[in-house]
Amino acid sequence: MVLKTQIKPKPYNLRAICSQIIYDVLDQGSSLSSALSQQANNITDKDRALVQEICFGIMRVLPELEFYIQSLMAKPLTGKNRIIHYLLMVGIYQILYTRVPEHAAVGDTVNGVNVLRKPALKGMVNGVLRTFLREKAELTQLFLAKGNASLHPSWLVKRIKHAYPNDWQTIIDNNNQKPPMWLRVNRQYYSVPDYQMLLQSQNISSTSDPQLSSALQLDVPVGVNKLPEFERGVVTVQDRSAQQAAFLLEPQNGELILDLCAAPGGKTTHILELAPQAKVLAVDIDPERVKRIDENLSRLKLNAQVIVGDGIAPEQWAHGQQFDRILLDAPCSATGVIRRHPDIKWLRRESDIAELVQLQFQILTNIWPYLKSGGTLIYATCSILPDENRLQIERFLAIVPDAKLVNDIIQYLPTINGGDGFFYAKLIKT
């Protein structure tokens, strides 16, 4: 177990907190959502949105910020001073991408040096930021001229180019955008048009999806606390592509259904919204994330059996049961949801892909015997890489004689006003 080096920024300084979060992700390997959660008690409600904007933004444009810092400094900050490197990122990001006045961005970032207990570096931070203000236009042009504008690691760009030779640039561009906010309306309470009227009464505008009866896109994202009747379970935040899973599964009341790799429970709850009398078993290997399934079920007032279990070893928890339907939301590279989780670009390694492909295949082949004859299995990932998706299913079908693909596979790519990148294959046991 790796113990994280926690630098507790006190007294309160938003920029110091942001630099700690970025440090935890890039140097300690935390996910951005986990690092933000760890600092939640240190952030005021007033500043929460700005902290998220800065941290998510830095992850989106990380190579650009690295380029500017390298251009402005003779040698990099290392060791115990590394967190000041990330503090510089916070300052430069604010100057470039937020409405924070430049003098405030510089001043508050410089004050963060003291909070991080590095007073000897205060003059250096002030000097770098003020030099950046003077040379901003020139440095920006230089960055673009060097061809670094993809803001993705080179190995990932290469793979996307190979898989989508005609669409790769659009995929990259869409990955670099902020994601739209999609809602799933619980139709046990409201139709989509009726919930739209409820939103409109709160001055929240939205657009329905003509192809998905539960989906609603907000024209401007808002906090869940502003969504009418959210705590009553009337609506759930879920991307439109992810909403397809339960519809493809077609759950029926009275059936025994397995949601495997189920955390945090968005698809589990959708299955039960469509078939409230189904008997659903939700399984995930991560005990902390399993708690999220219980929380989502509780908010939506739905019932399922929730257990911690390893998808590779269903014999340890399935107890010989055979399921009418299985949703396998397989662990994957998450390359389809980069715009929603931009830290994926920097935490994922190319070597991870082969390991994930093998893990997915093991889970798929090991769970197949637990599907009833005539039953349905949905294989899903939030990846856009063929190795995890189309090629994975082709490999499986080649060696499993009683598996049949229903209709064509579905590969969604991230689109600006559409859903995230997702893959679906619908299989039946003949």
Side-chain angles (χ1 to χ4, degrees):
M1 181 179 179
V2 177
L3 294 176
K4 294 181 180 179
T5 303
Q6 281 289 339
I7 300 171
K8 297 181 180 179
K10 294 180 180 180
Y12 185 80
N13 182 279
L14 182 150
R15 281 76 188 172
I17 290 171
C18 289
S19 64
Q20 176 69 61
I21 292 168
I22 302 303
Y23 173 85
D24 286 346
V25 174
L26 298 178
D27 276 40
Q28 302 293 322
S30 291
S31 69
L32 181 53
S33 59
S34 175
L36 282 164
S37 178
Q38 287 180 7
Q39 292 288 341
N41 292 333
N42 297 328
I43 304 168
T44 66
D45 291 340
K46 176 185 174 185
D47 287 335
R48 198 171 306 278
L50 182 56
V51 168
Q52 291 183 342
E53 157 68 19
I54 291 171
C55 293
F56 275 86
I58 286 173
M59 292 300 160
R60 288 193 182 95
V61 300
L62 185 66
E64 182 181 9
L65 302 177
E66 292 280 18
F67 175 81
Y68 297 145
I69 293 173
Q70 290 173 12
S71 300
L72 293 167
M73 296 184 66
K75 60 181 182 178
L77 292 162
T78 58
K80 294 181 179 180
N81 291 331
R82 186 64 178 168
I83 197 166
I84 302 301
H85 177 89
Y86 300 125
L87 185 65
L88 285 169
M89 281 189 181
V90 172
I92 293 173
Y93 179 82
Q94 288 176 98
I95 292 168
L96 286 173
Y97 291 106
T98 72
R99 296 179 181 179
V100 177
E102 290 180 348
H103 69 276
V106 172
D108 288 338
T109 302
V110 171
N111 289 337
V113 180
N114 286 338
V115 176
L116 293 168
R117 297 190 281 277
K118 302 290 181 182
L121 298 176
K122 193 171 182 178
M124 181 274 293
V125 170
N126 185 59
V128 168
L129 293 179
R130 294 197 178 279
T131 303
F132 178 73
L133 285 175
R134 293 193 300 271
E135 301 178 6
K136 180 172 59 173
E138 180 184 341
L139 286 168
T140 302
Q141 289 301 314
L142 191 57
F143 172 75
L144 294 174
K146 285 188 173 291
N148 296 319
S150 78
L151 304 175
H152 283 57
S154 58
W155 71 265
L156 183 54
V157 174
K158 183 178 178 181
R159 278 184 175 261
I160 294 174
K161 274 186 178 181
H162 184 262
Y164 305 99
N166 299 321
D167 301 314
W168 71 272
Q169 187 63 63
T170 301
I171 294 169
I172 294 292
D173 291 343
N174 289 344
N175 281 351
N176 292 333
Q177 306 303 313
K178 295 179 181 178
M181 184 173 180
W182 285 93
L183 305 180
R184 186 187 82 222
V185 178
N186 187 341
R187 291 176 299 164
Q188 295 181 41
Y189 293 97
Y190 289 100
S191 68
V192 166
D194 285 346
Y195 192 73
Q196 272 189 290
M197 292 178 63
L198 201 57
L199 288 171
Q200 193 60 51
S201 71
Q202 303 296 318
N203 296 316
I204 301 172
S205 57
S206 60
T207 305
S208 60
D209 188 297
Q211 297 177 327
L212 211 58
S213 59
S214 60
L216 203 53
Q217 182 185 351
L218 298 189
D219 296 344
V220 178
V222 300
V224 295
N225 59 314
K226 294 185 178 179
L227 297 174
E229 301 189 53
F230 175 80
E231 288 302 326
R232 196 162 74 92
V234 164
V235 69
T236 296
V237 178
Q238 187 180 41
D239 181 77
R240 81 169 301 280
S241 296
Q243 292 184 43
Q244 286 283 10
F247 287 120
L248 288 169
L249 188 67
E250 298 181 290
Q252 304 297 315
N253 286 324
E255 290 183 331
L256 180 60
I257 299 173
L258 171 64
D259 186 1
L260 185 54
C261 310
K267 298 180 183 69
T268 306
T269 55
H270 195 190
I271 291 169
L272 286 163
E273 286 177 17
L274 297 179
Q277 302 307 314
K279 183 180 178 182
V280 176
L281 173 63
V283 180
D284 199 275
I285 195 172
D286 186 335
E288 287 302 312
R289 283 169 54 79
V290 161
K291 294 176 184 177
R292 296 278 309 282
I293 305 176
D294 286 321
E295 290 168 2
N296 281 312
L297 287 166
S298 176
R299 181 179 68 85
L300 290 157
K301 301 174 182 63
L302 297 170
N303 296 304
Q305 183 184 3
V306 181
I307 62 173
V308 177
D310 188 344
I312 291 178
E315 69 279 1
Q316 295 177 359
W317 46 263
H319 306 301
Q321 294 181 98
Q322 289 224 311
F323 299 91
D324 297 286
R325 299 177 196 268
I326 297 174
L327 171 59
L328 170 54
D329 191 2
C332 70
S333 63
T335 45
V337 293
I338 283 173
R339 63 182 182 177
R340 209 167 290 283
H341 303 284
D343 50 315
I344 288 167
K345 293 187 291 186
W346 319 117
L347 295 178
R348 184 68 65 215
R349 299 289 179 264
E350 184 168 21
S351 59
D352 296 340
I353 305 305
E355 294 176 9
L356 285 164
V357 167
Q358 185 58 29
L359 175 62
Q360 293 157 358
F361 190 74
Q362 282 184 284
I363 296 174
L364 180 55
T365 53
N366 289 0
I367 201 60
W368 185 255
Y370 293 83
L371 181 67
K372 290 180 181 177
S373 179
T376 298
L377 183 146
I378 302 296
Y379 174 84
T381 76
C382 55
S383 169
I384 61 171
L385 301 181
D387 305 54
E388 303 175 84
N389 298 339
R390 175 179 57 82
L391 297 177
Q392 185 73 278
I393 293 302
E394 289 177 0
R395 176 188 177 193
F396 179 73
L397 292 172
I399 66 166
V400 180
D402 62 350
K404 179 182 177 181
L405 180 67
V406 181
N407 302 322
D408 293 331
I409 60 172
I410 300 171
Q411 178 68 74
Y412 292 114
L413 299 177
T415 54
I416 289 180
N417 288 313
D420 293 335
F422 259 81
F423 175 84
Y424 292 109
K426 185 172 186 174
L427 306 172
I428 60 168
K429 181 177 280 190
T430 58

